[in-house]
Amino acid sequence: QRHSPPLCSLPSRTQRVAAFVAEVARRTAQLVAGWQTVGFVHGVLNTDNMAITGDTIDYGPFGFVDQFDPDYSPNDSDAAGRYSYRQQPAVSAWNLRRLATALAPLGSEGGAAEAAAEAEAAFWVEYEPEVRRRWRSKLGLLLTDEGEADDALLESLLGVMQRTGADFTNTFRALSRVGWEASEAASYRAPQDFDAVLEYCLAQCASTEAMLKRARPIFHPKALARLAAIAQTEPERLAQFGLDASVVARETQRAARREALARVTPRDKRLSDAEAW
C-alpha cells in the first residue's frame, strides 16, 4: 500500500505477490545499472542491505572505482570478491531470488523455485537494456545504435582503462572535451580532434607504483601457493575457507600482473599507455 499502491487493485493475492516481486526486481535493476555506470560499489550486498524501494541503503564499506579494476571491492573482509564491482549485478539478482523464495508461501502457483527463477529473469530483462542505455549515453552514442559494435567499443574501452590504470570518472569526463552535434552527418570527427582527450587520459593514468599497490594480492604468496595446490588437488576443500577455484585463479593472475608490472619503468609504461589508447 505504501510503496506500490497500484498493485493493491489486482484481484488475487497470488497476482499481487508476483507483481510486487517483479516491481522490486525492476527497481533494483534500475538502481544497479546506475551503480555500474558511475562506478559505485556498495561493498556489503547482503539481502538485508537492499530495499524494496530500489534505494541504496547501509553505506558501510562503500566506495567508488577510481583506478579502473572490475574486481575492486572496498570491503577488506571480502576476500572472495563477492561484493566487487564486477559481481554487483549477479549478487543483486541472487538477493531477489531470496526475496521471491521468502514470499512464495503467500501466493506462488509454481512454488518457491519457480518464483525465484521468475524474479531473477525479471531483473535481467530490466537490467541489461538499462545498463546498456546508460553506457551508450556516457559514450555519447545518442544518434544511432550499432548493436554489437557499440558493445565491443565499450568492452574495448574498459579493457584499456584496466590495463593502463585509467581513472573511471575522469576517463568519461574527458569525452566532454569533444563537442557533440545534433545530426549524424555533423557528428563525424577526424582522429586528431580527439588529441585533447588522448592527452588528458594519458595524464591521469595511474603510475606504475599506484598500479603495483592496487595489484597487491589479498593473500600472502605462501598462502596463495597453498591455496593453488588445494585448488589443483582438492578443490572442494576451498569452500571451507569461503573460496572457490575462480578466486584462487583471480588472485594468481593478480600476482602475475604485479610481477610483470614490477619490471616496467615509468617511461615504458607511458609508451605502452599511449599505444593502448
Side-chain angles (χ1 to χ4, degrees):
Q1 290 178 339
R2 177 181 298 177
H3 300 298
S4 303
L7 305 186
C8 297
S9 62
L10 294 173
S12 72
R13 186 170 68 177
T14 297
Q15 290 176 310
R16 291 193 294 272
V17 170
F20 173 72
V21 173
E23 176 61 15
V24 174
R26 185 193 68 80
R27 293 172 180 175
T28 302
Q30 292 275 339
L31 174 70
V32 179
W35 287 352
Q36 296 304 103
T37 50
V38 299
F40 176 80
V41 186
H42 187 286
V44 58
L45 276 178
N46 300 328
T47 53
D48 59 326
N49 289 336
M50 300 196 76
I52 60 173
T53 57
D55 296 316
T56 305
I57 64 171
D58 190 22
Y59 283 90
F62 76 96
F64 283 86
V65 176
D66 294 322
Q67 179 190 139
F68 183 65
D69 178 2
D71 292 320
Y72 168 69
S73 173
N75 189 339
D76 291 337
S77 65
D78 185 22
R82 175 173 172 78
Y83 302 136
S84 66
Y85 169 83
R86 185 200 302 271
Q87 294 296 330
Q88 288 187 131
V91 170
S92 297
W94 187 91
N95 288 346
L96 284 164
R97 291 182 67 96
R98 305 285 74 73
L99 174 65
T101 299
L103 294 178
L106 296 178
S108 175
E109 296 179 350
E114 183 175 322
E118 290 175 353
E120 181 172 5
F123 172 84
W124 291 115
V125 164
E126 181 74 23
Y127 172 79
E128 290 176 345
E130 178 61 17
V131 76
R132 187 173 186 275
R133 182 190 68 79
R134 290 176 182 247
W135 279 124
R136 294 186 72 254
S137 179
K138 287 178 77 76
L139 290 171
L141 304 177
L142 306 177
L143 298 176
T144 59
D145 188 336
E146 298 186 14
E148 292 182 358
D150 288 349
D151 299 338
L153 174 64
L154 173 63
E155 183 178 354
S156 175
L157 173 61
L158 295 177
V160 171
M161 289 167 62
Q162 183 178 7
R163 292 197 302 276
T164 61
D167 182 90
F168 184 95
T169 301
N170 288 344
T171 296
F172 290 102
R173 282 294 300 143
L175 297 178
S176 67
R177 297 181 175 228
V178 177
W180 178 78
E181 301 295 338
S183 69
E184 185 173 358
S187 65
Y188 172 78
R189 289 288 184 274
Q192 58 268 26
D193 290 343
F194 288 87
D195 285 350
V197 175
L198 174 61
E199 288 304 315
Y200 183 85
C201 287
L202 288 175
Q204 53 82 45
C205 285
S207 65
T208 303
E209 292 76 12
M211 292 191 70
L212 281 170
K213 183 177 180 181
R214 179 59 61 87
R216 184 170 57 242
I218 295 173
F219 306 110
H220 186 278
K222 291 184 178 179
L224 182 58
R226 287 196 293 270
L227 289 170
I230 293 173
Q232 288 289 331
T233 58
E234 302 175 278
E236 66 280 359
R237 285 187 56 201
L238 293 173
Q240 300 174 12
F241 310 106
L243 307 173
D244 58 32
S246 66
V247 176
V248 177
R250 183 196 71 208
E251 291 305 307
T252 300
Q253 292 170 0
R254 187 184 294 269
R257 287 200 303 270
R258 179 178 171 81
E259 185 178 342
L261 274 171
R263 298 192 294 268
V264 176
T265 66
R267 180 178 182 276
D268 289 341
K269 184 177 187 304
R270 170 74 181 190
L271 294 173
S272 176
D273 290 351
E275 181 179 0
W277 280 102

